[in-house]
Each structure stands twice: as C-alpha cells, then as structure tokens.
Amino acid sequence: DAKTTQPPSMDCAEGRAANLPCNHSTISGNEYVYWYRQIHSQGPQYIIHGLKNNETNEMASLIITEDRKSNTLILPHATLRDTAVYYCIVRVAPLGFGNEKLTFGTGTRLTIIP
Amino acid sequence: KAGVTQTPRYLIKTRGQQVTLSCSPISGHRSVSWYQQTPGQGLQFLFEYFSETQRNKGNFPGRFSGRQFSNSRSEMNVSTLELGDSALYLCASTSGQSSYEQYFGPGTRLTVT
C-alpha cells in the first residue's frame, strides 16, 4: 500500500468547508484512496473512496489531482460533530477475499471551532 | 440493521492474566477483522477471519489469538497479559467477498494493571 502524508492537525470554523489534504506520491495505478474518520473513543467510520475521478456522497466530496499524487477531502458545511481524526488510506480495492487489512497512518486531527 | 457489537466495552485485568473479547458482525457479514489501537502505535491490524478460518494475520506475538464461530461471531484472546497490551481493541466486519466499506464496532477498552 502506498504511503500517505497528512497534516497532524487542522482547525475549521463551524459552518465553513473543511478541506483535508493528503499526499500519496507513490500511488500505483490500481490503488484507491479511502477516507475514514474516528470520533473520540469510537470505531473508525468509512467516509468515501475513489480511484481517479472526483467523488461525492452524503458525507463529503473527494477531489483527486490529475496525476493522482494527492487528494483533498471536503466536508462542505462542517459541524461540531465532525470533530474527529481523519485517516487517508491508499490501498488496492476492493476489500475481500482475505484482503481486508486497512493500514492506518497517524491521520489529521480536525477540530471544528464554534 | 444492527451495527457491529463488541463486548465487554471496558475491562480491567492484571498482568499475567488472560482475556477474551467478543465481536458480533453485522448480520450477513462473514468476515471479521481485529485491530489494536494504542497511543504509541496507532491502529494496527491483528487478524481477519472468514468462515471460521483465519485468512490474514498481522505482526503480533502468538499470545494474541482468535477464532470465529459458524454464526460469524468472533472472539479474540490475549494470554499472559502485559502492561503494553492496554489498548482499544476494535473489530470490523465486511461481507468478506467484494466491498469498499469496513464497518467498525465501538471497541473494547482493555486496561492491564
């Protein structure tokens, strides 16, 4: 799995868009980008994944650069409940057939400021 | 549908004892993975079970073991507990075949004194 680099911490004002960057310069052509988040003392929660196209779901948007060496997770209207550690993971997808292991880095601690 | 459940949620044990943690996956999911989370090492993969068979294993000593039952429920066991085993133990489930999302339980907080 490709190595990822994320800032250790970020602040964002409530109601504003939170933009979380992730670099993965060694990503391979068949590797996907995943984002999970972990709210304090809970299990990680899946947010979104993508290969090369931008993706959007009810939680967030994922913007992947054309060279695929970095991406940005966007939480469009951050709320206090979005305060969490956000993990960017790069791995071959999908999960399954004995390949369920997720390798978590140190993530970005996002704090939403009232 | 009900999420992944783990029992107990909190546990205090003494060095040298053993402990068994339980995980019930989402209904219909046949794969259960276990992770250990500590402040120093972060989230680390322990092992994964599918249809009562261990398919993948992380880099942990043999004191850490697991099993899975025919109803997909899983247990993990840690023998001869050490202080460093104090951690949040998380389990996660997937269908085990082809999926993009791993569903995590709330974890069991183990404290070894």
Side-chain angles (χ1 to χ4, degrees):
Chain A
D1 299 338
K3 179 177 167 56
T4 61
T5 303
Q6 299 177 250
S9 64
M10 293 181 62
D11 292 339
C12 178
E14 188 178 17
R16 304 295 295 269
N19 296 277
L20 292 92
C22 176
N23 292 322
H24 33 79
S25 58
T26 61
I27 191 170
S28 300
N30 64 343
E31 289 183 310
Y32 283 64
V33 172
Y34 285 81
W35 282 89
Y36 279 74
R37 73 180 182 183
Q38 186 174 23
I39 295 169
H40 182 62
S41 294
Q42 297 182 22
Q45 175 191 24
Y46 166 86
I47 301 173
I48 199 168
H49 75 277
L51 180 62
K52 55 182 180 181
N53 297 322
N54 297 338
E55 303 287 346
T56 296
N57 64 20
E58 64 278 4
M59 288 184 67
S61 294
L62 175 62
I63 309 297
I64 302 174
T65 59
E66 194 167 340
D67 64 7
R68 301 189 67 239
K69 293 185 177 181
S70 66
N71 77 84
T72 302
L73 177 74
I74 302 172
L75 308 178
H77 305 288
T79 71
L80 297 179
R81 286 177 292 183
D82 292 322
T83 292
V85 178
Y86 287 76
Y87 297 98
C88 170
I89 299 168
V90 171
R91 55 154 284 153
V92 173
L95 301 169
F97 306 106
N99 192 23
E100 275 74 11
K101 176 183 174 182
L102 291 174
T103 301
F104 291 85
T106 53
T108 295
R109 184 172 298 277
L110 175 67
T111 303
I112 306 302
I113 310 297
Chain B
K1 53 186 174 181
V4 177
T5 59
Q6 292 188 245
T7 57
R9 293 293 312 278
Y10 303 91
L11 203 51
I12 300 175
K13 289 286 189 178
T14 304
R15 271 181 303 175
Q17 288 186 315
Q18 74 159 12
V19 67
T20 299
L21 312 181
S22 179
C23 171
S24 292
I26 288 173
S27 177
H29 284 187
R30 297 169 63 193
S31 168
V32 174
S33 298
W34 288 89
Y35 292 82
Q36 181 197 64
Q37 186 172 27
T38 61
Q41 299 298 316
L43 266 158
Q44 293 188 288
F45 174 81
L46 280 156
F47 31 64
E48 183 256 347
Y49 285 86
F50 177 83
S51 290
E52 303 177 65
T53 300
Q54 186 182 91
R55 293 197 298 190
N56 200 354
K57 187 178 188 305
N59 189 26
F60 278 81
R63 299 185 298 107
F64 292 82
S65 63
R67 60 176 176 169
Q68 187 179 35
F69 302 95
S70 59
N71 62 357
S72 295
R73 188 176 70 84
S74 177
E75 290 181 346
M76 69 161 282
N77 183 277
V78 187
S79 63
T80 319
L81 283 166
E82 302 176 358
L83 295 179
D85 297 332
S86 294
L88 181 66
Y89 289 89
L90 294 154
C91 80
S93 75
T94 66
S95 66
Q97 300 197 13
S98 182
S99 63
Y100 291 95
E101 184 173 351
Q102 198 164 71
Y103 296 84
F104 283 81
T108 294
R109 172 75 61 186
L110 172 65
T111 302
V112 182
T113 62

